[in-house]
Amino acid sequence: MYIFTLPVWIAYTAKDDWLFGALTCKIVGFFFNANLYTTIAFLSCIAVDRFVATVFPFRARALRTMRGAIIICGVVWLIILGSHSVFLARDELFNSSQNVKLCYEKYPMEQWMARLNYFRIFVVFLIPLVLLVVSYCSVVHVVHRSHGLEKEQKRKIIGLLLTTMAIFVICFLPYHIVLFIRSYVSDRNICTCNIELKVRPAYRITFSLTSLSSALDPFINIFVSESIKQDLLKEVRAVWSGFRSLRHARSSIRRTSRNDGYNTVTHHLEDDHLLEKKEETPL
């Protein structure tokens, strides 16, 4: 559902005017924000899982259970969906002074939105950020000191972890800094048009950056993991083989059709020739 909201956000950013109605604004805003914070939460959960598997290898089997994973996933979904269900209950489509419609961009921000943003920034973002950074730094330390891994393997693992941390920080931290500034000045009633004019471009840019994580993380795993590379190569070869087989089958059908057509025409010509001979034969 999140992917289907992206063209709407692109059109909105390009036009600087919301053209899709109040209901669409609610639905698109809900899915975007819910996806953003579930992504942050689950990236943090993956980091903690890797931390447990690497730093506590002997206790990992007891700690990393399917039941525990299901419970954690359920808790994450309940917190995110529960806290963001308010987006479906409120109308966040506004007419600006320039006579354009804005979706979730009221200036100044309403107090309830500012308070919700505090929760999202300090609980749903900051805690996962700390968990992810601490977990991956601990894993990097363990991998660096490991004597069972070759130098090239260490380089790849550490590179993957540092790149994942960098993507997380670059994609999500700037947006939440700008979001905090907007929320704070609105909550304290010190928001002015001058402040909003300066903050809004930064908000738009950092808002767009949050979508990069979903696109970059899969590529990082593909380029670093040898098993994923091999599986992907097998799939590409299978698709190419199927494509070649399909082309060969079509060529065979065309050749067969041409041959059948040629044989049919030849047969008709032979029949006509025999018929002419019969007509020329005197009775």
Side-chain angles (χ1 to χ4, degrees), residues 94-111:
F94 306 100
N95 287 319
S96 72
S97 57
Q98 286 80 27
N99 199 26
V100 295
K101 293 182 178 179
L102 302 176
C103 179
Y104 289 102
E105 286 190 290
K106 187 175 182 181
Y107 299 96
M109 187 184 294
E110 291 183 332
Q111 193 173 52

Side-chain angles (χ1 to χ4, degrees), residues 46-261:
I46 291 170
V48 173
D49 181 68
R50 289 173 175 172
F51 166 79
V52 172
T54 307
V55 180
F56 304 105
F58 298 108
R59 298 174 60 186
R61 182 172 295 182
L63 295 172
R64 301 167 70 213
T65 62
M66 182 62 69
R67 182 184 177 186
I70 292 172
I71 292 172
I72 291 171
C73 289
V75 170
V76 168
W77 280 111
L78 285 174
I79 293 173
I80 303 299
L81 296 181
S83 60
H84 287 83
S85 60
V86 66
F87 288 100
L88 297 174
R90 289 180 174 267
D91 188 0
E92 289 300 311
L93 188 62
F94 306 100
N95 287 319
S96 72
S97 57
Q98 286 80 27
N99 199 26
V100 295
K101 293 182 178 179
L102 302 176
C103 179
Y104 289 102
E105 286 190 290
K106 187 175 182 181
Y107 299 96
M109 187 184 294
E110 291 183 332
Q111 193 173 52
W112 72 268
M113 177 66 81
R115 301 285 172 82
L116 176 62
N117 286 338
Y118 289 153
F119 171 78
R120 296 197 296 175
I121 293 166
F122 293 109
V123 177
V124 193
F125 169 70
L126 196 58
I127 292 175
L129 174 64
V130 172
L131 288 174
L132 183 137
V133 171
V134 170
S135 296
Y136 280 150
C137 287
S138 300
V139 174
V140 167
H141 179 69
V142 171
V143 170
H144 182 70
R145 295 182 59 186
S146 175
H147 299 290
L149 294 173
E150 297 180 359
K151 188 176 181 180
E152 183 66 18
Q153 291 176 316
K154 290 182 180 181
R155 186 185 67 81
K156 285 185 177 181
I157 295 171
I158 293 173
L160 172 63
L161 299 177
L162 294 179
T163 304
T164 303
M165 278 195 293
I167 291 173
F168 189 94
V169 172
I170 292 170
C171 291
F172 300 124
L173 183 59
Y175 170 73
H176 286 90
I177 292 174
V178 176
L179 187 65
F180 174 75
I181 294 171
R182 285 194 61 214
S183 302
Y184 181 79
V185 297
S186 297
D187 188 37
R188 297 293 180 178
N189 293 320
I190 56 175
C191 182
T192 62
C193 290
N194 188 35
I195 293 175
E196 289 294 356
L197 285 173
K198 292 179 180 179
V199 170
R200 191 165 188 257
Y203 177 76
R204 283 292 185 89
I205 294 169
T206 57
F207 180 83
S208 302
L209 279 176
T210 58
S211 299
L212 281 179
S213 175
S214 300
L216 293 177
D217 284 332
F219 286 103
I220 295 300
N221 285 285
I222 287 171
F223 289 125
V224 173
S225 174
E226 291 296 330
S227 61
I228 295 177
K229 281 183 186 178
Q230 293 173 3
D231 292 339
L232 185 63
L233 189 60
K234 286 179 183 178
E235 293 296 330
V236 171
R237 286 175 177 171
V239 171
W240 176 247
S241 177
F243 178 70
R244 291 183 62 184
S245 300
L246 182 61
R247 288 185 61 186
H248 180 71
R250 286 180 177 177
S251 300
S252 300
I253 291 170
R254 287 172 184 168
R255 285 196 298 268
T256 303
S257 299
R258 282 199 218 96
N259 292 334
D260 290 343

